Amino acid sequence: MCRGMRSFPPIFLLEPPGTNVAVGDVLRAAEWLLQRWPEDYIGTPLHRAAQIACLRALEDEGDALDVRAALIAAAEEAGIFEGHVPPISRREPRKRRR
């Protein structure tokens, strides 16, 4: 369980009273969806889809980028999506010529 990639480029969610909180891994996303989600948006189709994406990733049947996409969609619906950080390039730095 949890053998695959569990982190993703962070997104920022709005937490009352106006604090931006970074969420960048499946466990933190699941915590938000289960414990900190705005009450009026609990159980919507997008909220449920994000929960299912988390469960699939935790069972190694899905990946963290699917969780990120589902979390963004649900957070936009709930009005708590504050933005994201673009994915970091995984290129090796160029070596200097001497």
Side-chain angles (χ1 to χ4, degrees):
M1 190 154 143
C2 295
R3 289 183 306 266
M5 183 179 113
R6 292 180 290 174
S7 63
F8 51 81
I11 66 168
F12 293 91
L13 301 179
L14 180 63
E15 180 174 59
T19 305
N20 287 327
V21 177
V23 176
D25 64 69
V26 173
L27 291 175
R28 186 81 186 258
E31 174 196 344
W32 263 85
L33 291 161
L34 294 172
Q35 299 174 359
R36 301 165 87 175
W37 209 251
E39 191 173 311
D40 291 344
Y41 295 93
I42 292 173
T44 67
L46 291 175
H47 179 250
R48 295 283 299 140
Q51 289 178 320
I52 291 167
C54 284
L55 181 59
R56 289 179 53 78
L58 290 170
E59 293 177 342
D60 286 330
E61 294 176 8
D63 78 40
L65 292 179
D66 293 337
V67 172
R68 184 180 191 266
L71 184 61
I72 289 171
E76 285 176 335
E77 174 187 56
I80 62 170
F81 180 66
E82 288 292 297
H84 57 86
V85 176
I88 297 170
S89 172
R90 295 180 187 249
R91 288 185 288 152
E92 292 291 320
R94 289 186 180 182
K95 294 185 179 179
R96 292 181 138 183
R97 290 184 183 178
R98 292 186 177 196

